[in-house]
Amino acid sequence: MVARSPPERKNPVSSEDVAYFASAGIEMIHSDNKLEDRFNADMFDKYFGDSQLALFPKTAQQVSTILAYCNKHQISVVTQGGNSGVAGGAIAHNGEVILSLRDMNKVREIDSVAGVIVAESGCVLEDLDNFVQEHGFIMPVDLGGRKRCMIGGNVSTSAGGLRYLRYGSMHANVLGLEVVLPDGRILDALFSLKKDASGYDIKQLFIGAEGTLGVVTAVSISLAPKPRSSQIAVLGLNEFSKIHRAFVLARQNLGEIVSAFEFWEKRCNEIVVEFEKYDSPLDRDHEFYVMIETRGSVVSHDAEKMDMFLECLQDEGIVDESRVFSESEAMAAVWLFRSQMASAHTKSGCMYVYDFSLPPKHQYDLLVATKQHMTALGLYGNDDSPIKDITEFGHVGDQNLHLQVIAREFGGAVEAALEPWIYEWVGSHGGSVAAEHGLGAHKGKFLKYSKSPVVIQTMKDIKQMFDPRGIMNPGKHISCA
């Protein structure tokens, strides 16, 4: 199959279009110029749109009405949830209609025996987690943006998050989906069974598709048991290689109770302390920090395992300082420190944030290589350099790194020096150019550095099959590869 160029799309919408949506009983916000920034700007104020119309359906049938009309009249659509993404995927860059799922926020069903919840896409992640905890469960995905992000967006970006190591990916935990296709048909694949080998696993196509193949309106997801025991250890280390050794020992000594293994380097710690005004979790400064969370069922058993693990670290000379937190408030404070790392960076300057997966042997090399590259170009290393900071933190357990380049302004020589160089470097070292933030508005053109031409063309063929008129989130994701 050869993908054809989509027909010319009509933007912005006309008064007739607005009248039609009103007659269909669909709530909306319309502006003769453009909507306010809560609809037209991403959370880091890097990507901006100019949509004049946001629609707020309350049912899958209303979503169907919207898409059927838009498909017929070639009106482009951008689906939006909590608008908490960092890749610009939910921004209407060319006046597209915003289809907001904020009002589709009901829990349809929870099965406390099977441990399954069926929820609409507009449910905020933190609200869902609070709800299922009342039934003895937790959501398997947890993100720094939990107060704002919605489960439909988590599915559509294949969000990874903080406890991926223990509970796995959205691909592993989503059991079924309800999706409205670009032509308005409702695809009901909202299964709640944990075993189903009856044909193609259609739902997987929409996980990580970022609204390019249809609109996810409801999700069936497998829940994890609420832990009865939890603790956090924070370690201070002086060499990056010791982080990997600590990870191996954690898997050996803590085993099944490890739920998170995070790291950040010294400058990240300083930035959070400076801009968020939080206390560092350790008393002394270190080159690297590691945060390990365990979740189990017996407090004494888990504490004993942690003690044995820390003894192993001390015996091998891996850590310079360690501290264990077991009280709920203290653990929450540590997680807050870690989860506000990105926010603190945005307060320190204009942040280019990169979301890569890399083999362990190259994870620290990325930070070193980036500093060397920018220094050689005269962009980093002095007090008045265009780049103020280059930092790295991430999820060691799933090989996911976040590299931050903090510039004095966006664009110009800094951006030209970073891209495509940084994507070429990651691709040449066996990495992925998008680990958990998605491709969004910008990264599709760099997909060639980590995917083969045949894989990319197959993705384009799938897009063409589902959305031949090209109305769904145009110019993003695979469309710009």
Side-chain angles (χ1 to χ4, degrees):
M1 180 189 299
V2 178
R4 301 186 301 275
S5 298
E8 183 178 353
R9 293 177 292 272
K10 180 174 63 174
N11 287 313
V13 294
S14 68
S15 57
E16 290 80 8
D17 300 327
V18 174
Y20 173 78
F21 295 129
S23 70
I26 296 167
E27 184 180 341
M28 69 181 75
I29 297 176
H30 179 245
S31 172
D32 291 333
N33 296 309
K34 70 173 187 176
L35 300 174
E36 56 191 291
D37 280 354
R38 66 189 171 112
F39 299 108
N40 276 320
D42 78 314
M43 66 182 296
F44 291 150
D45 288 332
K46 183 178 180 182
Y47 297 99
F48 295 92
D50 56 3
S51 178
Q52 297 176 315
L53 178 64
L55 303 175
F56 304 93
K58 291 181 170 58
T59 65
Q61 187 55 56
Q62 285 193 335
V63 175
S64 173
T65 298
I66 292 167
L67 291 189
Y69 180 88
C70 289
N71 193 58
K72 178 180 178 181
H73 296 277
Q74 296 173 219
I75 299 171
S76 301
V77 177
V78 172
T79 307
Q80 199 170 94
N83 199 16
S84 59
V86 298
I91 301 301
H93 298 281
N94 295 298
E96 298 94 339
V97 170
I98 292 174
L99 195 161
S100 171
L101 294 170
R102 71 173 193 190
D103 290 344
M104 293 192 65
N105 54 16
K106 298 180 181 63
V107 173
R108 296 186 182 176
E109 180 184 1
I110 183 167
D111 187 330
S112 296
V113 176
V116 175
I117 190 171
V118 179
E120 294 179 341
S121 288
C123 291
V124 174
L125 179 59
E126 185 173 69
D127 294 342
L128 278 182
D129 192 57
N130 290 337
F131 174 80
V132 301
Q133 285 196 41
E134 296 176 359
H135 296 265
F137 298 97
I138 60 170
M139 295 295 292
V141 63
D142 188 21
L143 308 172
R146 68 182 70 84
K147 292 180 181 295
R148 180 173 172 179
C149 67
M150 298 176 183
I151 193 65
N154 300 154
V155 169
S156 295
T157 57
S158 190
L162 303 168
R163 297 187 174 99
Y164 189 104
L165 173 64
R166 173 70 174 272
Y167 301 115
S169 67
M170 297 303 293
H171 286 284
N173 287 288
V174 172
L175 302 175
L177 295 175
E178 177 184 82
V179 182
V180 181
L181 300 177
D183 61 6
R185 289 179 296 160
I186 299 176
L187 186 150
D188 183 0
L190 202 58
F191 307 117
S192 295
L193 300 175
K194 296 187 177 182
K195 296 184 74 173
D196 176 20
S198 56
Y200 299 122
D201 195 358
I202 296 295
K203 69 177 183 292
Q204 299 293 350
L205 284 174
F206 300 95
I207 301 173
E210 299 181 45
T212 60
L213 303 181
V215 177
V216 175
T217 50
V219 182
S220 172
I221 192 165
S222 180
L223 302 171
K226 183 178 179 180
R228 295 180 179 176
S229 167
S230 185
Q231 57 186 337
I232 290 174
V234 179
L235 316 176
L237 311 90
N238 58 26
E239 295 177 20
F240 189 83
S241 61
K242 291 182 178 180
I243 296 176
H244 290 151
R245 181 57 181 160
F247 178 65
V248 171
L249 291 174
R251 296 298 295 266
Q252 292 175 350
N253 290 273
L254 298 173
E256 77 286 351
I257 65 172
V258 177
S259 54
F261 194 105
E262 303 286 300
F263 94 93
W264 58 92
E265 43 97 7
K266 182 178 181 179
R267 185 62 186 135
C268 291
N269 207 75
E270 293 171 345
I271 287 173
V272 176
V273 171
E274 180 180 356
F275 290 96
E276 298 293 342
K277 309 302 180 186
Y278 297 152
D279 293 333
S280 174
L282 294 180
D283 294 330
R284 304 198 304 272
D285 292 336
H286 303 275
E287 291 301 315
F288 302 98
Y289 298 79
V290 163
M291 188 195 81
I292 304 166
E293 181 192 65
T294 67
R295 292 184 150 198
S297 57
V298 180
V299 173
S300 59
H301 171 266
D302 296 349
E304 182 180 355
K305 283 190 137 186
M306 180 64 79
D307 289 342
M308 292 175 60
F309 166 65
L310 294 176
E311 286 180 12
C312 287
L313 296 181
Q314 292 290 347
D315 291 343
E316 292 197 18
I318 291 174
V319 297
D320 297 322
E321 183 183 1
S322 64
R323 186 176 178 185
V324 177
F325 303 82
S326 57
E327 298 296 327
S328 57
E329 288 187 7
M331 290 189 291
V334 176
W335 267 120
L336 185 62
F337 189 95
R338 165 60 186 86
S339 64
Q340 291 301 304
M341 218 153 268
S343 174
H345 278 75
T346 64
K347 295 175 182 178
S348 70
C350 298
M351 180 175 68
Y352 290 91
V353 57
Y354 295 98
D355 164 52
F356 300 130
S357 287
L358 275 169
K361 63 182 178 180
H362 296 307
Q363 289 171 349
Y364 187 59
D365 294 344
L366 172 63
L367 180 63
V368 174
T370 304
K371 288 182 175 181
Q372 290 176 343
H373 178 67
M374 293 303 173
T375 300
L377 294 174
L379 299 173
Y380 175 70
N382 297 316
D383 291 341
D384 59 349
S385 295
I387 295 175
K388 299 165 64 177
D389 277 305
I390 302 175
T391 69
E392 186 178 78
F393 65 87
H395 322 294
V396 173
D398 52 37
Q399 304 176 334
N400 181 193
L401 303 175
H402 300 303
L403 182 85
Q404 291 69 229
V405 177
I406 309 302
R408 299 187 188 279
E409 60 183 12
F410 286 121
V414 171
E415 189 163 319
L418 279 170
E419 301 171 5
W421 173 84
I422 197 165
Y423 293 101
E424 292 174 342
W425 192 97
V426 168
S428 68
H429 289 79
S432 168
V433 301
E436 65 177 0
H437 291 169
L439 295 174
H442 184 63
K443 288 185 278 187
K445 61 187 174 184
F446 303 117
L447 193 57
K448 62 185 178 182
Y449 296 116
S450 60
K451 299 291 185 185
S452 72
V454 174
V455 170
I456 292 173
Q457 187 57 55
T458 301
M459 292 184 190
K460 289 187 174 185
D461 292 344
I462 292 170
K463 166 69 172 173
Q464 175 67 20
M465 182 184 72
F466 276 93
D467 184 24
R469 288 182 170 248
I471 69 165
M472 302 303 299
N473 217 357
K476 303 195 188 83
H477 199 260
I478 194 63
S479 298
C480 54

